[in-house]
Amino acid sequence: MPDTPMIAIDRVNKFYGIYKALSDVSLNIGAGEFFALLGPSGCGKTTLLRSIAGFDNPSSGDIRIDGHSAIGVPPNLRPTNMVFQSYAIFPHLNVEENVAYGLKRLKLGADEERRRVGAALEQVRLGHLGKRRGHELSGGQRQRVALARALVLRPKVLLLDEPLSALDKKLREEMQAELRSLQRAVGITFVLVTHDQYEALALSDRIAVMFGGRIAQVATPKEIYQHPRTKSVADFLGGMNFLSGRTLGQTASGLTVETEKFGTLTLSLPEERIEVGARATVGIRPERLRLLWDDERAPHELTGKVVNRAYFGETTHLLVGVEGLEKPLSMIETNTHGADDLPIGADIRLAYDPEAFVLLADDPPVERVH
Ligand SMILES: Nc1ncnc2c1ncn2[C@@H]1O[C@H](COP(=O)(O)OP(=O)(O)OP(=O)(O)O)[C@@H](O)[C@H]1O
Ligand SMILES: [Mg+2]
């Protein structure tokens, strides 16, 4: 990231009356970054995005955009533009008129305006539908008009609030790919709000995960998936098997943790210091457990019984009961060996890699002001 971030959010709090919607949020977003704000409904994603855009102002803290404090600066004077959660395009205006709408106040002249509108429509691949009216467009096309309308103003930052959530799965996936290539092509900063973890993982350079108005972790998709800091982050980003353990000691290579059934594991040290002898939670992702077939052996094995099975086409999700473990383990197997045909009650062996475990911090208590 360059030295001066495009967006610098510094200890922002936001109260709605006595309700604290944002709590001590600090975050830097780089120029040209595709950044995702991810979290469950009500965690404060829209509030944070609206604060960057200037539709809301923080109760305290600072937001700098492109090196300047934006506090008190109205939305239209910020180098940002926002595509709203429920995008509204004018149904009676055609596509070109919709996109040109925001340009009027710039008084660019007819030629320049036409050129800019044409370029924005090309960027979202709607050049051929310029004369179509808003109400004659599909959901995906309307979404593209909303994007073009934001891009035509040439913002330094595009703020996108769940722009794809109204679309069906297939179209959403298509638009996700388009959003990513659009961002690469225009090269500006995108901040995407989503509650869909796969969307965040697939699209962004970095992700901030939020719960209850706080940022729980900021990292690249791979880092956040493979090394979630807390139980909630781990749980929100895909499946995770949680196991309880006890810390034995710290060595140069990490923290040793005694677990049930999986023995003593050496885990990389978290940022927080962990007391020796303390209770600890470790996690392993379902796809990091692997079924062993026939006489295949592995250095680390467990035996168990299939207690449930769900077929997903390319994969099968299994719940495997293991004696001595409180909860069954969840596993994901690709359907190349016949996991999809395993009967409930089948005895299985599974392999695991001790390196695949992560140590998870407890979640901080949710702060609420009443
Ligand atoms: N104008 C407001 N007045 C009072 N409370 C508000 C206001 N706007 C938002 N909130 C509350 O602040 C919290 C955060 O809202 P926000 O809209 O930022 O959530 P979100 O993460 O975008 O959720 P979603 O995924 O459902 O869109 C919620 O509990 C919401 O009820
Ligand atoms: Mg929202």
Side-chain angles (χ1 to χ4, degrees):
M1 204 192 295
D3 295 344
T4 311
M6 178 54 77
I7 302 169
I9 299 165
D10 190 17
R11 287 168 295 164
V12 161
N13 289 292
K14 173 70 183 176
F15 288 91
Y16 289 116
I18 54 163
Y19 181 79
K20 200 171 190 183
L22 294 177
S23 191
D24 200 29
V25 171
S26 291
L27 191 64
N28 285 341
I29 300 174
E33 207 176 5
F34 197 128
F35 195 90
L37 292 173
L38 174 69
S41 185
C43 73
K45 305 180 297 292
T46 296
T47 304
L48 185 56
L49 207 66
R50 287 174 59 86
S51 305
I52 300 170
F55 297 106
D56 267 333
N57 268 313
S59 309
S60 65
D62 192 18
I63 295 179
R64 288 187 302 282
I65 304 173
D66 203 16
H68 305 284
S69 177
I71 303 299
V73 179
N76 61 333
L77 296 181
R78 297 187 185 203
T80 54
N81 214 330
M82 182 151 161
V83 177
F84 290 91
Q85 193 157 2
S86 55
Y87 52 88
I89 62 166
F90 301 114
H92 55 286
L93 298 184
N94 71 26
V95 166
E96 285 173 0
E97 291 160 347
N98 260 288
V99 176
Y101 189 82
L103 281 181
K104 297 290 177 211
R105 66 181 163 80
L106 299 185
K107 304 206 180 346
L108 296 171
D111 281 352
E112 174 63 7
E113 191 179 293
R114 207 174 310 115
R115 215 177 50 73
R116 278 235 217 162
V117 169
L121 287 179
E122 284 307 317
Q123 278 172 333
V124 298
R125 301 197 295 122
L126 272 187
H128 59 299
L129 289 182
K131 302 293 180 222
R132 205 48 100 68
R133 294 199 180 279
H135 67 84
E136 297 165 339
L137 299 171
S138 73
Q141 290 164 342
R142 272 178 228 195
Q143 189 54 61
R144 276 179 243 197
V145 174
L147 278 172
R149 209 164 53 173
L151 286 171
V152 78
L153 292 166
R154 307 215 172 132
K156 289 182 178 160
V157 178
L158 190 61
L159 305 165
L160 302 140
D161 195 355
E162 312 237 17
L164 311 181
S165 59
L167 308 177
D168 67 55
K169 186 169 181 291
K170 192 93 189 146
L171 190 54
R172 195 161 72 229
E173 284 168 3
E174 259 176 58
M175 285 295 294
Q176 282 170 355
E178 283 190 22
L179 257 192
R180 185 71 236 215
S181 40
L182 178 66
Q183 191 267 345
R184 286 205 186 98
V186 293
I188 63 173
T189 306
F190 274 34
V191 185
L192 173 79
V193 160
T194 179
H195 59 253
D196 177 340
Q197 66 272 33
Y198 298 109
E199 188 163 293
L201 289 172
L203 291 185
S204 41
D205 296 313
R206 285 190 309 150
I207 302 173
V209 181
M210 292 179 73
F211 296 109
R214 285 182 176 278
I215 298 210
Q217 189 171 359
V218 184
T220 62
K222 204 165 161 183
E223 176 66 18
I224 217 158
Y225 184 79
Q226 294 187 346
H227 299 285
R229 270 190 51 236
T230 68
K231 285 194 246 180
S232 302
V233 173
D235 210 23
F236 198 74
L237 280 132
M240 182 67 99
N241 293 295
F242 296 108
L243 306 161
S244 52
R246 193 161 287 281
T247 56
L248 294 179
Q250 292 186 6
T251 65
S253 49
L255 186 76
T256 49
V257 180
E258 173 85 78
T259 62
E260 290 170 311
K261 289 311 247 184
F262 290 93
T264 302
L265 305 166
T266 302
L267 304 164
S268 59
L269 282 170
E271 293 147 40
E272 301 86 17
R273 272 188 61 81
I274 300 228
E275 269 177 60
V276 171
R279 195 183 54 77
T281 303
V282 298
I284 186 163
R285 296 279 186 202
E287 71 276 13
R288 302 302 294 267
L289 299 171
R290 186 170 63 84
L291 279 178
L292 292 170
W293 297 92
D294 306 321
D295 52 5
E296 189 189 353
R297 311 296 315 184
H300 302 278
E301 290 186 18
L302 280 182
T303 55
K305 235 182 221 321
V306 175
V307 294
N308 213 342
R309 194 190 67 189
Y311 178 67
F312 282 87
E314 71 270 33
T315 57
T316 291
H317 294 205
L318 297 171
L319 273 184
V320 176
V322 174
E323 225 182 280
L325 278 187
E326 209 180 304
K327 278 197 185 160
L329 295 170
S330 140
M331 300 179 64
I332 299 178
E333 284 284 310
T334 50
N335 289 332
T336 42
H337 285 85
D340 44 333
D341 288 328
L342 272 177
I344 308 286
D347 288 311
I348 58 110
R349 285 180 302 120
L350 61 89
Y352 64 91
D353 174 359
E355 307 258 304
F357 288 84
V358 285
L359 184 67
L360 299 161
D362 286 329
D363 296 291
V366 174
E367 181 189 346
R368 281 284 171 259
V369 179
H370 291 290

